[in-house]
Amino acid sequence: YTWSLNDFSLGKRLGRGKFGIVFLAREKRSGYLVAIKTIMKKEVVQNRVERQVLREIEIQSHLKHPNVLQLLAWFHDSHRIYLVLEYAGKGELYPILKDSPNGRFDDRTAAKYIYQVADALEYCHQNNVIHRDIKPENLLLTITGDVKLADFGWSVHSPSMNRRTMCGTLDYLPPEMVEHKNYRHTVDNWCLGILCYEFLHGYPPFESKECEETYKRITTRDIKFGDFISLLAKDLIDKLIVLDCRKRLSLREVMRHPWVVQYR
Ligand SMILES: O=C(Cc1cc(-c2ccc3c(-c4nc5ccccc5[nH]4)n[nH]c3c2)n[nH]1)Nc1cccc(F)c1
């Protein structure tokens, strides 16, 4: 059976980006809510990303995990490709973080999300998928308060707030990527440490006004913790934000870390 747009009634716009717009939609027969992302074929051809989109569809259609946003189906017509993606009832985590008291999560909330992202990443790595772009903007929250890892590599962002500095793109990069060295799946472990720091502080550890400064702070691991940070949380972050990628805590160890276990 091939799906078509007639199977869905389209609702409000959820997000937009370079390649497409995401709509809330309801599958008519089941009443099931989904997010439908439309990608203009013309744009894909113009940007010569056909292979990338097909590869992304190939990858996402095989990944099935409670904390990885699932691609449920896809179809196309003369002008567009339509991706039927899981609908996350509370939307992007980034605005939720910014709207939290003091702009940061408490230990319980942060630990629950870190556990779920670590679990999702462990699953991706077992399927030889490196995410490379873990950050609050790429995380969605379901109505039950669970995290879904989405790959917005396609720059789909609801009109969410932009990061404070223009170096936002650098903030999450591990040293091996900043220095254009070869990298492995352990880049995601570094990013998980950055994510944990940002959840608990409300800003990433190496954020600076100038990109050069961010760059220097990453490669020299110039990190400072707020005095309100618990020792256990600091211990976890210290074991993930490690310059030598071989020495970073594994995802399994993250899920067993006392700070994660006691709060999850
Ligand atoms: O593009 C994406 C990832 C992606 C997910 C989404 C996305 C965006 C928003 C939502 C939402 C959502 N729920 C909301 C509730 C309130 C406000 C905003 C909301 N957005 N649920 N599910 C979504 C899914 N956009 N782009 N995957 C992709 C790309 C190319 C090929 C492929 F196979 C997959």
Side-chain angles (χ1 to χ4, degrees):
Y1 177 78
T2 29
W3 292 98
S4 84
L5 213 45
N6 298 329
D7 294 310
F8 303 92
S9 32
L10 285 196
K12 68 175 180 176
R13 192 164 81 179
L14 292 172
R16 59 171 295 105
K18 204 166 38 177
F19 287 121
I21 302 178
V22 186
F23 293 94
L24 176 60
R26 186 185 289 281
E27 199 279 314
K28 287 172 183 166
R29 254 182 298 282
S30 64
Y32 198 71
L33 283 181
V34 292
I36 293 196
K37 177 165 172 181
T38 64
I39 302 178
M40 296 294 286
K41 284 184 178 177
K42 187 162 53 41
E43 306 249 317
V44 170
V45 173
Q46 273 162 2
N47 290 273
R48 284 194 285 285
V49 285
E50 303 95 309
R51 283 162 39 83
Q52 242 176 303
V53 172
L54 289 173
R55 196 177 64 78
E56 190 65 25
I57 289 175
E58 178 61 28
I59 293 172
Q60 296 229 4
S61 52
H62 288 97
L63 292 180
K64 193 167 172 43
H65 183 278
N67 300 112
V68 176
L69 193 87
Q70 210 184 329
L71 175 70
L72 301 166
W74 67 285
F75 51 91
H76 61 102
D77 61 21
S78 48
H79 291 94
R80 292 177 182 80
I81 302 166
Y82 300 89
L83 305 173
V84 184
L85 295 144
E86 274 186 288
Y87 172 62
K90 289 189 177 153
E92 285 190 24
L93 199 59
Y94 190 62
I96 295 168
L97 173 66
K98 292 295 163 187
D99 294 345
S100 300
N102 302 314
R104 57 189 190 234
F105 291 141
D106 60 30
D107 280 278
R108 178 173 307 285
T109 309
K112 175 185 172 184
Y113 294 163
I114 291 298
Y115 179 88
Q116 293 185 345
V117 174
D119 198 6
L121 283 175
E122 165 80 17
Y123 171 79
C124 291
H125 291 180
Q126 276 163 355
N127 289 276
N128 296 318
V129 173
I130 308 177
H131 192 281
R132 288 174 310 175
D133 206 3
I134 304 296
K135 53 189 176 185
E137 292 91 325
N138 281 345
L139 298 172
L140 290 161
L141 201 61
T142 64
I143 205 75
T144 53
D146 295 308
V147 155
K148 293 270 182 184
L149 193 49
D151 184 357
F152 294 113
W154 307 88
S155 75
V156 177
H157 286 289
S158 50
S160 71
M161 327 159 203
N162 289 320
R163 288 193 165 262
R164 260 204 292 265
T165 69
M166 284 310 293
C167 322
T169 44
L170 265 177
D171 280 322
Y172 274 73
L173 280 192
E176 61 268 25
M177 286 182 87
V178 159
E179 290 157 353
H180 309 295
K181 289 181 182 153
N182 291 335
Y183 60 83
R184 307 178 57 241
H185 55 82
T186 43
V187 299
D188 287 337
N189 302 50
W190 169 281
C191 296
L192 191 61
I194 305 290
L195 185 73
C196 189
Y197 182 101
E198 180 162 10
F199 278 170
L200 293 171
H201 289 84
Y203 53 84
F206 305 120
E207 186 175 72
S208 316
K209 283 186 187 38
E210 303 298 327
C211 291
E212 281 312 304
E213 180 59 22
T214 309
Y215 191 105
K216 197 157 71 61
R217 294 194 63 199
I218 292 170
T219 50
T220 59
R221 197 194 176 279
D222 165 19
I223 191 168
K224 297 178 195 68
F225 289 91
D227 50 17
F228 52 87
I229 296 294
S230 71
L231 282 179
L232 278 179
K234 183 180 178 303
D235 178 75
L236 175 62
I237 294 167
D238 274 337
K239 288 173 179 169
L240 284 170
I241 302 185
V242 174
L243 291 176
D244 181 345
C245 63
R246 295 163 305 179
K247 298 205 170 72
R248 290 169 198 160
L249 212 57
S250 74
L251 294 166
R252 276 262 155 265
E253 288 163 323
V254 169
M255 293 162 74
R256 282 198 299 263
H257 189 280
W259 179 76
V260 174
V261 169
Q262 75 170 334
Y263 284 117
R264 107 173 166 79

